[in-house]
Structure formats: C-alpha cells, structure tokens
Amino acid sequence: MAYLASDPRSQLSASSGPDADAAHEPQYFDFSELAPTVTTGRGGRLWTVRAANAAVVYAEHADGDTVEREDADETMLVVLPSRGRLVVRTDGETVGVEPTSVVTVQPGPWRYEVEGALRLLRLHTVAASDLLDQALNGEAYADGLGLSVPADPWPAPSGDAEIRVYDAIEDIAPQEGRLGRILRGRHAMVNLLYPRVGPRDPRTLSPHTHDDFEQLSFVDAGEYVHHIRRAWGNDRTAWRPDHHREIGGPSLTIIPPPLVHTSEAVGSGENRMVDIFAGPREDFSRRPGWVLNADDYPWPETDR
C-alpha cells in the first residue's frame, strides 16, 4: 500500500495480499445506539463484542462497580480517559490505576473495583466462553474466521508480577519515526493513537491491508469515517460497494483481512482512536522502539 514517506508505516514490508472473495464483511458497533449486554447494580453499562481472536468488553462503569473473574489466559485492560480510578487485585497483588493506562493481568482469579465514573476496554481471548455467549455478534464467526488465522500466544512476560501497569500514557511524547503509543501482551497489541484536533487532511490518508488478521478500531471520541474497499476480481458481477462509514465515539469497527482500509478523522473537536490487534503484530514488533513495553514482553524466539 502507498503510505506517505512521513508515515512510520512506510518502513514496513509490503504484501500483495490474498484473494478477498472469502473475506468477512466489516462490522460496526456504535455503543451510543446499542443496548448494553450487562448493566450493573449501580448503573454501570458493559457491551461485549467478539472478534476472530478476541472478546472485547467496553465498559462505562459507575462508582462502586466491581468485576470478578477467573481467566485461563492473560487479560489486557485499557483504562480510557475518564474521571475515576481502578483498583486491580489478584491473590498476591493489589494495584491502583489512574487513566489513561494499559494493564495486563496474568491468568487466574482476579477482580477490579471502580472509584468514580471510569471507562475502560477489556481484551480477553476467545477462551473466555462466557463473554462469547454474551457478545452482540455471537453468530458472526459461526462459519469460521474468514481469512483471519488463529492467533498463538506469545511468550510469557519476564519477571513474576501478576499485574503490570503502564501508566501516564498521555505524557508519552510523539517521537519521529515511531507510530503512536504501542503496547503488547501475550495475546493482544494496542496502539493508542495520538489525538487529532479537527479533521484529518484528506490528502494524507493511508489505505492499507492486512493479509491474515483483523484490525479493531475503537473510536473513543470525535467522529471518523472508515473507508473500506474489497479489491476487485475478474468477475464484475461479484464486486461489492465500498464502505464509507461515518461513526463517532464510543464505537468499535472490525475490519477483516484483506480489505483495503483507512480511517479519516472528520470531527471538528478532539478525535481519539485505539487500534487493537489480536495477537500481537510481528511487523510492528520488529521496528526498534515502537513497542513501549517490549522489555517486559519478549517475542517468539523463532521469529527473531
């Protein structure tokens, strides 16, 4: 794909891509228009969506909400800009978390308690069958994953901490040649893109594809247009219309491989988006300095 020379992704290797005929359709979830899948006793609201390799929970918690879980795989939390504080507990650790932060919690029993009006994303693997049962799109993958491949877990993190907190995300300054603010765990990678005030210059878009993994784009605030195109084959009768879906925050869009896509901020105020990949991206991980917690989360030895 044709990235501008100023775009850090121009450093990545290009791919010709697979045939798009077997690709899934994009999925759009505007949480402002959807009934929550769970409402807490204190009035908090949670929405659950599944993807090929992840279950995503978006939560608008009320003061005093608590969540208790026992997960067989690592969980990643993205504590979004909001008013409040999170207390995460395992049997061996208790950690306080302020927005904006990314947290990873190791397998086993754990819980969190909410102070104030806090918003967050929870990223689980598809082994969390209870969440798949709740998902708004539970049947979307009934016939398979399309062109997405099952994600293998990356190596266990270094050290013995049960809870890892990467905080003060808002204080991480942009760096030339580095894309956004990227953190990874064993099963997922997030890129907290820098906020953009006002519309994006339409002459600087970055259409691109992924061969075998989805991109999940969570709009936290503002307005975006997701431009998505299925490459044409020889049979014109099978061509499908392009998507130019305008959607605000909070929302989640699932973009399947290998559809061409780019997201254009169009809101007049602050536009904020988080890109989610499950599992972690190897191409991003190979770029020196791009993954901010690479020292904690090694990548597979066979891929070095």
Side-chain angles (χ1 to χ4, degrees):
M1 293 289 104
Y3 291 115
L4 296 174
S6 59
D7 190 316
R9 288 169 294 183
S10 65
Q11 305 168 41
L12 303 175
S13 299
S15 169
S16 58
D19 187 342
D21 287 346
H24 282 182
E25 285 295 306
Q27 301 178 66
Y28 307 95
F29 305 91
D30 185 339
F31 299 122
S32 68
E33 299 179 351
L34 294 169
T37 49
V38 173
T39 301
T40 71
R42 295 176 177 269
R45 302 184 300 166
L46 293 79
W47 293 261
T48 303
V49 174
R50 74 151 298 176
N53 289 300
V56 181
V57 179
Y58 168 62
E60 295 180 348
H61 278 301
D63 184 40
D65 276 352
T66 62
V67 171
E68 295 194 30
R69 293 198 57 82
E70 184 164 356
D71 288 301
D73 294 295
E74 181 180 86
T75 304
M76 179 179 282
L77 308 176
V78 181
V79 184
L80 298 162
S82 50
R83 298 184 304 278
R85 181 173 180 269
L86 191 70
V87 178
V88 184
R89 304 182 191 273
T90 64
D91 288 342
E93 281 189 83
T94 299
V95 177
V97 183
E98 306 283 345
T100 302
S101 300
V102 173
V103 183
T104 58
V105 184
Q106 296 312 297
W110 66 287
R111 62 178 280 150
Y112 65 75
E113 301 149 12
V114 176
E115 301 173 1
L118 195 78
R119 301 181 310 116
L120 58 80
L121 293 168
R122 291 190 351 233
L123 308 180
H124 299 259
T125 72
V126 290
S129 57
D130 62 315
L131 297 178
L132 299 191
D133 291 342
Q134 295 175 10
L136 294 167
N137 60 336
E139 298 302 314
Y141 299 87
D143 296 327
L145 304 183
L147 294 175
S148 298
V149 300
D152 294 325
W154 281 33
S158 58
D160 56 3
E162 294 180 334
I163 306 168
R164 288 172 173 79
V165 178
Y166 306 97
D167 55 7
I169 299 291
E170 302 295 342
D171 296 334
I172 300 172
Q175 180 177 311
E176 185 175 355
R178 191 191 73 216
L179 179 67
R181 297 164 292 188
I182 300 172
L183 296 112
R184 71 177 179 233
R186 295 194 70 194
H187 303 281
M189 171 180 280
V190 294
N191 184 7
L192 291 89
L193 300 168
Y194 284 102
R196 180 185 298 272
V197 177
R200 183 176 180 177
D201 184 343
R203 295 165 295 187
T204 65
L205 302 186
S206 53
H208 61 282
T209 65
H210 309 301
D211 285 355
D212 56 13
F213 60 87
E214 295 170 328
Q215 178 167 318
L216 283 61
S217 290
F218 174 77
V219 173
D220 185 31
E223 295 284 338
Y224 285 79
V225 175
H226 296 304
H227 303 284
I228 304 175
R229 166 172 290 182
R230 189 180 296 262
W232 291 347
N234 293 328
D235 181 358
R236 185 176 65 80
T237 65
W239 294 356
R240 305 187 201 179
D242 293 345
H243 291 224
H244 302 282
R245 176 62 181 267
E246 183 166 350
I247 196 165
S251 68
L252 182 73
T253 297
I254 301 178
I255 304 168
L259 304 191
V260 181
H261 58 280
T262 188
S263 296
E264 179 183 4
V266 296
S268 59
E270 186 174 70
N271 300 285
R272 295 198 306 267
M273 191 163 69
V274 179
D275 282 339
I276 302 165
F277 305 98
R281 287 184 62 162
E282 292 184 14
D283 55 352
F284 282 9
S285 296
R286 292 180 186 278
R287 303 306 309 172
W290 278 29
V291 179
L292 301 177
N293 64 338
D295 290 343
D296 288 346
Y297 279 90
W299 56 326
E301 291 287 343
T302 56
D303 291 331
R304 289 183 182 239

